[in-house]
Amino acid sequence: MSHDAADMPNAAATPETVRWYHSLRTRIALWSGLTTLLFLLGVTLATAWYLRREILDSAQRDTRASTIEAAGRLEDELRTLTLATNNLARLVSRAGLADAQLRHAQVAVLESVPGTAGALVIVEPAGPRAPAYARYAGIDGRQRDLVGDGYDYRAQAWYRRTVGGDAGWWSEPYLNQTAGAVWMATYNVPLQPASRGMASLDMQLDDIVAPVESLAHLPGVRVTLVAPEGTVAFSTIPDIALRDTLQEYITRAGRNDLQWAADAARQRRPSHLSHQDAETGQLRFTAVEPVGDSGWVLLVGQTYDPVIARFDRALLLLVGISLVLALLGTFLVRKVGKQISRPVEELTRSAVQAIAGEEDIPLAQQQRRDEVGVLARTLERARVSIRRQLREIEQMGAARQKLESELSIARDIQRAMLPQGRTIDSGHEHLQAQALLEPAKAVGGDFYNFIERGDGELWFVIGDVSDKGVPAALFMARAVTMLEVAIQTAATPSHALAEGSRRLERGNETCMFATVLCGRIDVRSGDLWLASAGHEPPLLLHGDGRVQLIALENGPPLGFEVSDEFPLWRGTLAPGDCLLAYTDGVTEAFDLGNQAYGMERLQAVVRAGVGAAETCAQVLADVQLFVGEAPPSDDTTILALSRTHDLDNPGAEAHAVGAKGETSVHMSVAHTSHDVLRMTNAIDALLARHGASMAAMHDARLIVEEVACNAVEHAVAPDAPLEMHARVDGRQLWLEFRDRGQPFDPTARSAPDLDAEIGEREIGGLGVFLVQELADRIEYQRIDDCNVLRITLRLDAAHDMESRA
């Protein structure tokens, strides 16, 4: 079915409106703002990270420095008392002072050493009868004679520790009742070496704590002073001072985060560490610093959460300011971008109007010297070039349509030049001659011919011109004509080829040539004569199944030079035998893997006893199956002769009336020429099985080919193939075609003006006209969104026409 292409209406082009959020200036503004924001955020966060680290490092250094400084002040305070105690001990030990002198020395030390709360001197008697000196003097003038009070100082642990050692030591804080229930710490020194006893000075705990207590008032700071034996003498941690040792507090409160500090205090070594407070969850930095060699240890812990909180608030403020600045920058960039994008917008509107309009209006903004001007001038040159190319394409399209129409007509003319297959009956002897030709292009250089001479004599030729396309088709037409003329007067195929050689050599300035196989057969006797002009050797298919390659002596191809050397081969085509001739388009057909079909495959696929028409269709179908989707490499021509005898084939009459084999065939194809060929081959095989005449087979093949080619070109798709159903009913061929293309009624087309010149004739319509001329009846319906075309062809009518011809 031929579907004429409808003209597409020219829709008026209207400028497309670009929404603000799709515009270039908005995108520039957003990207600029985003870039600015990311830059500011990156700089801010990097600066914040660096400053945060520097602040923490600086704070930790300040904490360590403050701890060392406070420990130094406390060490100075304690050193003053330890020096005074050591001096008092040396004085008492070496001077041998009387009791009054000793009391005077005690009072003098109390008055001269700041922070001293009391002094104790104990001197053991030199002899058994001498009294001991054991007197305490307080800063407030209180005096106590330990011997007179009957106080057994020798039984006290502090006394035994002092006189049993050789160095001074600090006591743990204690509540001194003698001094008026005041918390004190005492530095004790033994008298050595001349005397036995001790000297000690007391210091109120408040005076010891005073140098470090100032740190406790700083925000986020915790201060702990640990006595030499581990007692917490002072701490800003509630309820642990003068109650627990540092280790006892860690165990009781679960402060494992301070275990390292307790170990460092016990080992009298400085240390520092950042840790998380197990009670509050705050991050703290704690420094441990020994107070000289006194045994006292100072712990200072600083939490930085308040500082970091203030820093974070400042950072959030800075980020907010950055965001505001980025938004402000985005707004300003969009305002500026509007000035930049306006020329582009004007150029766009101008381009749309120029493309939509027919007038040759130059594009705007070409006078600018910036990138917009360069773009405008480039678009203007492209527009002019495209308009020129479109005109050229339109002219080329019209010329190509005209050329395709002419090639289609040339193809029909070339096919019309080739005879149809025929059946020759002579008494009980029957000869069926059939040929198929498939050009590689619209027209080709292969040819064949059947010429009847006398009663029961058939001449045949098959040839291959040395090229493809239009030149080969023209030389083919000349060769067919010359050979037909030569055969009319020739006695043998050798004579015919010799005469054809002379005729084709004349005026062959293009030096084209053709290989030709020429033969003559007597239907009654089966006598067969063959001669070859460089052509492929034919196959003889014997009725017993043997396949014989006829080895001919070749003469030169026709067209190069005149020659009489074409050796004659003589043989017999017995009843049941079949002669198969072909061009090199069969044996040299290549698949996608560049593998040739070859002679071995050809000999394996053919068999005798199936008739000439079916043999040709069988070979062509196998070649096309082998080639697959590969493009044809050459024209393909197949010619077959089969001979039968009534006595050898009692079913011949039944075969002739079409009572043998299947009566219908159904096929669905997609959109390739190979699929159309499958349809025509199927029709050939169907009609051959029913003994249809060569004229009927030719008409049916033309109808199927025209309808299928037009439908494949205009109507079918991979998911909506063309469907064909064919059925032989008596002496009629019934055809039905279905496709899902646009509605198209081929019967409604008017007949083409065959008398008009080719250049003036309307394109299309010849195929539909040919189908209407050949068919007995043609009907069209639109059913279920399908184009349904039904065609009826009377097989006996075609046979009658052939007989009359």
Side-chain angles (χ1 to χ4, degrees):
M1 286 167 281
S2 176
H3 290 230
D4 294 336
D7 293 333
M8 296 298 293
N10 293 324
T14 57
E16 183 179 355
T17 302
V18 179
R19 297 185 181 273
W20 67 270
Y21 47 81
H22 287 157
S23 66
L24 288 177
R25 61 174 178 266
T26 300
R27 294 186 179 184
I28 293 173
L30 289 177
W31 281 110
S32 174
L34 180 60
T35 303
T36 303
L37 178 60
L38 292 177
F39 174 77
L40 291 177
L41 288 178
V43 172
T44 301
L45 294 177
T47 304
W49 173 81
Y50 175 78
L51 292 178
R52 182 188 182 109
R53 189 183 65 175
E54 288 298 314
I55 289 172
L56 290 177
D57 290 345
S58 177
Q60 291 174 359
R61 289 193 295 269
D62 290 345
T63 300
R64 291 182 60 194
S66 299
T67 303
I68 294 173
E69 181 183 4
R73 292 197 303 269
L74 178 57
E75 181 183 7
D76 293 341
E77 292 289 334
L78 297 179
R79 184 179 293 112
T80 300
L81 190 67
T82 57
L83 290 176
T85 307
N86 288 328
N87 290 335
L88 178 61
R90 284 194 293 272
L91 176 65
V92 172
S93 176
R94 297 175 181 176
L97 300 178
D99 291 353
Q101 292 175 324
L102 290 174
R103 289 195 294 273
H104 181 71
Q106 285 179 271
V107 173
V109 169
L110 287 173
E111 293 176 351
S112 60
V113 179
T116 305
L120 172 66
V121 176
I122 299 176
V123 182
E124 295 290 348
R129 295 183 179 180
Y133 180 85
R135 183 177 292 276
Y136 175 81
I139 191 64
D140 54 356
R142 295 181 183 182
Q143 299 284 333
R144 181 183 178 187
D145 184 2
L146 302 182
V147 177
D149 291 344
Y151 180 73
D152 188 5
Y153 60 86
R154 294 185 180 90
Q156 302 302 315
W158 50 268
Y159 178 74
R160 291 197 301 272
R161 176 181 175 182
T162 302
V163 298
D166 56 0
W169 60 279
W170 278 95
S171 70
E172 296 297 282
Y174 65 95
L175 187 62
N176 192 331
Q177 298 294 341
T178 303
V182 179
W183 284 93
M184 294 186 178
T186 301
Y187 184 71
N188 305 285
V189 178
L191 302 179
Q192 293 180 352
S195 302
R196 177 180 173 80
M198 62 172 286
S200 65
L201 293 180
D202 297 337
M203 193 172 188
Q204 292 188 13
L205 188 58
D206 290 343
D207 293 334
I208 295 176
V209 172
V212 301
E213 192 176 14
S214 60
L215 294 177
H217 300 294
L218 297 176
V221 176
R222 283 185 175 180
V223 180
T224 300
L225 182 61
V226 181
E229 297 299 326
T231 301
V232 177
F234 171 78
S235 180
T236 55
I237 301 175
D239 301 328
I240 67 169
L242 303 175
R243 172 182 174 184
D244 297 326
T245 63
L246 181 58
Q247 187 62 53
E248 289 172 347
Y249 164 68
I250 290 174
T251 302
R252 176 172 57 83
R255 292 293 305 278
N256 294 327
D257 59 302
L258 290 177
Q259 185 60 54
W260 66 272
D263 296 339
R266 185 170 56 255
Q267 297 169 11
R268 308 291 194 273
R269 58 179 174 82
S271 184
H272 56 86
L273 184 69
S274 294
H275 60 97
Q276 188 173 13
D277 193 319
E279 286 184 338
T280 64
Q282 294 177 326
L283 180 66
R284 288 187 177 277
F285 178 80
T286 299
V288 178
E289 187 67 28
V291 182
D293 57 357
S294 65
W296 294 79
V297 178
L298 178 63
L299 284 74
V300 178
Q302 172 72 58
T303 178
Y304 300 120
D305 286 356
V307 176
I308 296 302
R310 290 194 297 273
F311 179 80
D312 289 343
R313 287 194 293 270
L315 177 62
L316 289 176
L317 179 61
L318 184 58
V319 170
I321 293 174
S322 299
L323 181 60
V324 172
L325 291 177
L327 293 176
L328 181 60
T330 301
F331 177 76
L332 294 177
V333 169
R334 191 176 187 276
K335 286 292 185 182
V336 175
K338 184 177 181 180
Q339 303 300 321
I340 299 176
S341 64
R342 182 175 297 161
V344 178
E345 294 172 356
E346 293 179 358
L347 176 60
T348 302
R349 287 193 295 270
S350 175
V352 171
Q353 294 173 358
I355 293 174
E358 295 294 334
E359 299 180 3
D360 195 6
I361 303 175
L363 296 181
Q365 305 297 330
Q366 295 189 53
Q367 73 282 0
R368 297 177 66 95
R369 297 185 178 182
D370 55 8
E371 291 83 352
V372 177
V374 173
L375 177 60
R377 291 188 291 274
T378 302
L379 289 177
E380 175 64 20
R381 289 193 293 269
R383 184 180 69 88
V384 173
S385 176
I386 290 172
R387 283 183 175 272
R388 183 178 65 254
Q389 293 178 10
L390 287 177
R391 287 192 296 268
E392 293 175 356
I393 291 173
E394 184 177 0
Q395 295 172 358
M396 291 172 60
R400 180 171 181 177
Q401 286 183 346
K402 182 178 180 181
L403 177 60
E404 289 178 350
S405 177
E406 294 174 351
L407 286 176
S408 178
I409 295 173
R411 178 171 178 266
D412 293 339
I413 293 174
Q414 186 183 34
R415 283 183 175 271
M417 292 177 62
L418 301 176
Q420 302 302 316
R422 60 197 60 194
T423 301
I424 301 176
D425 301 319
S426 180
H428 294 285
E429 306 298 332
H430 308 282
L431 179 71
Q432 187 184 39
Q434 180 64 40
L436 294 177
L437 188 152
E438 289 295 331
K441 296 183 178 180
V443 291
D446 281 10
F447 61 90
Y448 65 88
N449 201 356
F450 298 118
I451 304 170
E452 295 186 51
R453 280 182 50 186
D455 184 16
E457 181 180 290
L458 178 68
W459 287 67
F460 58 92
V461 293
I462 181 171
D464 184 4
V465 179
S466 61
D467 201 354
K468 294 182 289 292
V470 174
L474 294 176
F475 193 81
M476 165 261 185
R478 184 165 177 251
V480 169
T481 303
M482 295 299 182
L483 287 171
E484 185 170 357
V485 172
I487 288 172
Q488 297 297 333
T489 59
T492 66
S494 298
H495 296 154
L497 291 180
E499 180 64 21
S501 173
R502 286 188 289 272
R503 292 177 179 272
L504 287 174
E505 189 272 340
R506 298 171 191 164
N508 186 19
E509 297 178 356
T510 59
C511 295
M512 298 187 71
F513 63 90
T515 65
V516 179
L517 176 68
C518 180
R520 169 191 170 193
I521 186 171
D522 189 324
V523 178
R524 290 185 296 269
S525 64
D527 291 339
L528 179 64
W529 295 268
L530 297 173
S532 175
H535 199 74
E536 304 292 323
L539 295 177
L540 182 56
L541 314 180
H542 294 279
D544 58 5
R546 292 181 296 113
V547 178
Q548 175 188 355
L549 179 65
I550 301 177
L552 299 177
E553 294 185 32
N554 278 318
L558 306 185
F560 269 149
E561 59 185 9
V562 178
S563 175
D564 293 326
E565 299 297 328
F566 298 98
L568 185 65
W569 179 91
R570 295 181 179 181
T572 302
L573 188 68
D577 291 350
C578 181
L579 178 71
L580 178 67
Y582 50 89
T583 61
D584 59 2
V586 174
T587 55
E588 296 180 6
F590 293 94
D591 62 7
L592 290 175
N594 205 30
Q595 298 294 320
Y597 184 81
M599 179 61 70
E600 293 183 1
R601 186 180 179 99
L602 176 60
Q603 291 178 333
V605 75
V606 295
R607 57 188 175 89
V610 295
E614 191 166 347
T615 298
C616 293
Q618 183 182 36
V619 173
L620 183 60
D622 193 67
V623 170
Q624 292 172 343
L625 178 64
F626 173 80
V627 171
E629 296 297 327
S633 57
D634 201 354
D635 302 334
T636 302
T637 303
I638 306 165
L639 181 148
L641 302 177
S642 63
R643 183 165 174 260
T644 59
H645 189 279
D646 287 346
L647 297 178
D648 297 328
N649 187 10
E653 183 177 358
H655 182 83
V657 298
K660 178 181 177 182
E662 298 179 358
T663 61
S664 65
V665 63
H666 179 82
M667 297 186 68
S668 296
V669 303
H671 52 68
T672 67
S673 59
H674 293 290
D675 297 325
V676 176
L677 186 59
R678 286 171 49 217
M679 282 188 167
T680 56
N681 291 340
I683 292 298
D684 285 344
L686 176 64
L687 295 182
R689 286 196 298 270
H690 288 270
S693 65
M694 297 307 300
M697 295 173 64
H698 172 262
D699 292 350
R701 185 181 182 91
L702 281 179
I703 291 173
V704 172
E705 184 175 351
E706 290 296 336
V707 173
C709 285
N710 287 337
V712 164
E713 182 178 357
H714 298 288
V716 305
D719 58 345
L722 171 67
E723 295 185 17
M724 179 192 77
H725 183 77
R727 184 177 73 252
V728 175
D729 186 5
R731 298 306 299 168
Q732 281 190 334
L733 174 65
W734 181 86
L735 296 169
E736 180 181 279
F737 299 90
R738 288 176 178 262
D739 69 71
R740 294 187 176 275
Q742 295 295 324
F744 175 74
D745 182 3
T747 64
R749 287 191 65 111
S750 58
D753 185 2
L754 300 180
D755 297 328
E757 295 293 335
I758 293 179
E760 300 174 356
R761 188 182 302 167
E762 182 182 357
I763 297 174
L766 287 177
V768 174
F769 175 73
L770 178 61
V771 172
Q772 290 174 334
E773 288 295 312
L774 294 176
D776 182 58
R777 186 172 66 253
I778 178 170
E779 298 177 353
Y780 168 81
Q781 286 182 291
R782 183 72 178 179
I783 303 175
D784 297 332
D785 295 329
C786 288
N787 292 310
V788 180
L789 187 65
R790 297 186 179 94
I791 300 173
T792 304
L793 177 66
R794 290 179 57 195
L795 302 180
D796 53 353
H799 179 72
D800 293 341
M801 291 176 63
E802 180 184 25
S803 299
R804 289 193 296 270

